[in-house]
Amino acid sequence: MRMDHVSYACEHDGLAATTDRISSALGVEAVKGGVHPRFGTRNMIIPLAGHKYVEVVEVLDHPASDKAPFGQAVRARSAAGGGWMGWCVEVDSLAPFEQRLGRAAVNGNRKFPDGRELVWKQIGILGLIADPQVPYMLKWEGDPALHPSNAYPSNVKMSCLTIAGSAERVTEWLGEPVERPLEDVAVKWVAPHGTPGILSVTFETATGAVVI
């Protein structure tokens, strides 16, 4: 179990403008991700050091976005003004989470312009919708070289999450201490009885710490 990425739902002016603000603040370039046909969304990627990345995601006017929980989550967060939607941990097996949650993981995919396909399975979006402090879980499949963090080498590091919530709640959700997947990413837990979710993410860049 390890921290994989954070997801930012685009703001009112759309995917390109939202991504440009974040990438400019970090002093890096974003790369095009692509369409998630099963979810009715599309994204752009900002690779980070340590096999991590930022995903900026936008809901599409597509029937899949009304049916898929991920599309619903993106639509709701963008409708509320956009911002950090959630965080994701990569696991070796989704079976324990499928058993605990009583449902099967869903398939995800997107294709590169050259025809290569990124594929994965994920579970936990319904939990994130109900309680945005908790992460969803993902298992990458296929060619590991296609992991979004490998789009280009990056020296920008994710150093801290500020989350409204409690470590105890997230530990219960994961079935393991929350510190385990976070490794070198610190967490500031605030407002345990307030509205849960990611409040900000701190990055270490060439020009110093940047909080978004």
Side-chain angles (χ1 to χ4, degrees):
M1 184 181 291
R2 51 169 295 279
M3 174 76 169
D4 190 74
H5 68 272
V6 286
S7 297
Y8 191 101
C10 71
E11 298 169 18
H12 68 280
D13 51 358
L15 183 62
T18 301
T19 304
D20 184 64
R21 280 192 291 275
I22 296 174
S23 61
S24 295
L26 298 178
V28 296
E29 295 291 330
V31 298
K32 289 184 178 179
V35 172
H36 309 126
R38 296 176 185 270
F39 305 150
T41 56
R42 64 176 178 172
N43 68 0
M44 294 188 73
I45 300 297
I46 300 173
L48 303 173
H51 203 67
K52 299 177 180 67
Y53 67 97
V54 175
E55 166 193 51
V56 185
V57 63
E58 178 179 55
V59 71
L60 301 174
D61 184 13
H62 188 281
S65 65
D66 296 324
K67 298 177 182 178
F70 188 80
Q72 294 169 11
V74 176
R75 186 186 302 280
R77 190 69 181 92
S78 290
W84 294 114
M85 187 182 82
W87 57 294
C88 177
V89 297
E90 179 185 2
V91 298
D92 294 329
S93 174
L94 291 169
F97 299 99
E98 292 177 316
Q99 183 175 10
R100 187 187 312 156
L101 297 176
R103 56 182 177 271
V106 300
N107 294 311
N109 71 294
R110 65 175 172 85
K111 286 191 174 182
F112 288 77
D114 62 6
R116 294 179 301 166
E117 188 172 28
L118 184 67
V119 291
W120 67 91
K121 290 181 180 292
Q122 67 185 50
I123 193 170
I125 295 296
L126 291 175
L128 182 152
I129 292 173
D131 188 3
Q133 68 181 295
V134 302
Y136 65 102
M137 287 67 67
L138 171 151
K139 184 179 186 301
W140 292 105
E141 301 182 333
D143 185 355
L146 298 182
H147 188 271
S149 68
N150 293 329
Y152 63 76
S154 176
N155 292 321
V156 175
K157 178 184 176 183
M158 187 192 314
S159 60
C160 184
L161 302 175
T162 299
I163 300 178
S166 72
E168 293 78 14
R169 167 66 182 121
V170 181
T171 290
E172 177 189 22
W173 171 253
L174 290 173
E176 296 187 26
V178 64
E179 294 81 9
R180 186 168 181 177
L182 290 166
E183 298 175 340
D184 56 346
V185 179
V187 177
K188 294 180 181 177
W189 300 98
V190 299
H193 304 296
T195 301
I198 297 176
L199 301 181
S200 67
V201 180
T202 303
F203 301 88
E204 300 301 325
T205 75
T207 57
V210 173
V211 179
I212 295 176

